[in-house]
Amino acid sequence: MAKILLIEDDPALGRMVKDWLTFEHHLVELSADGGEGWDRLQVYEYDLLIIDWDLPEKSGLEICREFRAQGGTTPILMLTGKRSISDKESGFDAGADDYLTKPFHTKELSARVRALIRRSERFLGNILKHKNLVLDPVARTVKRDGKDVDLLPKEFSLLEFLMRHPNQVFSAEALLSRVWSTDSDAGVDAITTCIKRLRKKIDVQGNPSVIRTVHGVGYRLD
């Protein structure tokens, strides 16, 4: 699962892209104009940005250029109806990593999203392994000691995130911002409940929990 910010002012296209990528198990947040999208980028972290070129308030080109100037390294896929070589050069020079012209097929969108996500170090390799756990993000399966573990969608997403960041401590608030939508009403209690359920499913009785509580700080996959 990747957390994706989609900035698209066409309501129909925005909804279609969001629904499609959500179906593919990504967490997608949609902003309808460049100003709102830019504001989100100043507060939240994302694994991928999908940005329309022509946006009200702040263009996709401006967002790319200013985000890179701030040191932002998140992969960027630019969506646009512009097809000329000079336009594409402008997009790449502004900081876009890939360029998809409208109209496009959702399968091509998926392929480009997968390619950009794979470039990130934390997304290298499809199969995640940690001690006796094996998680397959594509097949959406988790095995403990070779046996299937049935997880709810948020349990799966939380475990995947922790397995991609082993030995790193995350506060409950940080986990909320990376695994839950920023528009969600979920609070810290949601993290506590989800981790409690996860531990019951993935821990081996009599052994320390795979998910360690760092008191006063947060949680980490130990």
Side-chain angles (χ1 to χ4, degrees):
M1 180 207 80
K3 187 170 185 178
I4 299 172
L5 176 61
L6 168 63
I7 311 177
E8 171 60 63
D9 64 327
D10 182 325
L13 180 60
R15 175 53 59 184
M16 183 271 289
V17 171
K18 180 177 180 178
D19 288 348
W20 176 257
L21 294 178
T22 300
F23 173 75
E24 296 208 322
H25 306 294
H26 297 298
L27 178 59
V28 184
E29 296 183 1
L30 175 60
S31 289
D33 63 68
E36 179 191 341
W38 178 252
D39 289 343
R40 283 180 183 264
L41 270 180
Q42 304 311 296
V43 180
Y44 305 110
E45 290 185 54
Y46 297 92
D47 300 308
L48 175 66
L49 309 178
I50 302 177
I51 306 175
D52 185 28
W53 183 304
D54 292 313
L55 292 166
E57 295 194 29
K58 198 177 191 71
S59 75
L61 210 62
E62 289 177 297
I63 293 173
C64 282
R65 188 179 294 115
E66 293 177 26
F67 181 67
R68 295 302 189 214
Q70 286 184 343
T73 59
T74 304
I76 297 175
L77 173 61
M78 183 78 78
L79 300 181
T80 179
K82 300 179 185 294
R83 297 174 178 270
S84 73
I85 296 300
S86 60
D87 286 330
K88 292 182 179 181
E89 283 182 326
S90 298
F92 287 127
D93 288 343
D97 296 279
D98 201 359
Y99 197 103
L100 188 57
T101 54
K102 305 174 183 178
F104 51 83
H105 197 287
T106 50
K107 288 188 176 180
E108 182 179 5
L109 171 67
S110 296
R112 291 174 183 266
V113 165
R114 288 194 300 271
L116 288 172
I117 289 172
R118 280 198 300 269
R119 295 181 188 178
S120 174
E121 281 188 11
R122 60 179 174 271
F123 283 95
L124 290 176
N126 284 331
I127 306 299
L128 303 176
K129 298 180 181 180
H130 184 83
K131 296 184 178 179
N132 64 339
L133 294 173
V134 178
L135 185 148
D136 186 335
V138 177
R140 302 289 291 179
T141 60
V142 174
K143 293 182 183 292
R144 187 191 74 177
D145 295 323
K147 297 180 180 179
D148 289 331
V149 179
D150 293 325
L151 299 181
L152 297 173
K154 269 291 178 277
E155 295 167 358
F156 187 96
S157 297
L158 180 57
L159 179 61
E160 180 186 351
F161 179 81
L162 291 171
M163 289 182 73
R164 292 193 186 278
H165 302 81
N167 299 314
Q168 295 183 45
V169 181
F170 295 93
S171 67
E173 291 80 6
L175 292 175
L176 273 174
S177 71
R178 297 307 304 275
V179 181
W180 272 256
S181 168
T182 53
D183 298 324
S184 170
D185 292 330
V188 171
D189 288 346
I191 294 291
T192 305
T193 301
C194 194
I195 286 178
K196 187 181 296 183
R197 292 198 309 262
L198 258 180
R199 283 171 169 162
K200 287 181 179 179
K201 295 180 179 182
I202 65 176
D203 287 346
V204 176
Q205 191 171 5
N207 291 346
S209 177
V210 175
I211 302 174
R212 179 180 174 185
T213 299
V214 182
H215 294 290
V217 183
Y219 304 92
R220 77 179 183 204
L221 199 69
D222 213 358

